[in-house]
Amino acid sequence: QVQLVESGGGSVQAGGSLRLSCAASGDAWRTYCMGWFRQAPGKEREGVSAIDGDGSTKYADSVKGRFTTSKDIAKNTLYLQMNSLKPKHTAMYYCAADSQFSGRWCRDLRPRATYWGQGTQVTVSA
């Protein structure tokens, strides 16, 4: 099994930055693919970014150039650096993980992950 614990969310004014973290515990092979999803009130969960065991990254078009995802392999911790935040980025952000076999969503960012964190709220005010 895998446990994912997110942190780093909070309230920030537009133009500010936040760095989310996701600490993973459990078998490393189950976290070959890790990523971030978000869900705003009344909207479906959508993919933000993902990174696989080879270091390849995938970003949603809406965050390219603004958000950066990275992973500390030794700590098995995933990060999401979010810059130039806007009110439209307000959402609950979820960390997700999967094995290489089940982690096809690392390439298409569809919310099909096996393991999910509880989420961390990001609120951006105008």
Side-chain angles (χ1 to χ4, degrees):
Q1 289 296 328
V2 171
Q3 186 174 21
L4 304 173
V5 180
E6 302 101 331
S7 61
S11 297
V12 64
Q13 289 188 328
S17 299
L18 283 174
R19 188 192 193 205
L20 305 184
S21 299
C22 172
S25 60
D27 298 322
W29 66 269
R30 298 181 190 270
T31 58
Y32 176 86
C33 170
M34 294 187 73
W36 294 96
F37 293 80
R38 65 187 177 192
Q39 188 166 18
K43 294 188 176 181
E44 295 185 350
R45 190 169 297 189
E46 63 175 357
V48 175
S49 66
I51 184 168
D52 67 19
D54 295 328
S56 297
T57 55
K58 174 74 174 178
Y59 293 93
D61 289 342
S62 60
V63 305
K64 285 180 180 177
R66 191 184 303 271
F67 291 5
T68 303
T69 196
S70 60
K71 183 177 178 180
D72 185 326
I73 296 175
K75 296 180 179 180
N76 208 12
T77 298
L78 179 72
Y79 301 99
L80 181 67
Q81 178 66 43
M82 304 185 293
N83 297 328
S84 301
L85 285 163
K86 297 181 177 181
K88 68 178 182 179
H89 296 133
T90 294
M92 184 71 80
Y93 283 70
Y94 297 91
C95 176
D98 233 314
S99 66
Q100 184 175 11
F101 177 78
S102 300
R104 294 180 181 84
W105 54 266
C106 253
R107 296 189 293 272
D108 60 24
L109 294 180
R110 294 183 182 181
R112 298 173 175 171
T114 300
Y115 305 105
W116 292 91
Q118 293 300 306
T120 185
Q121 178 68 36
V122 171
T123 302
V124 185
S125 57

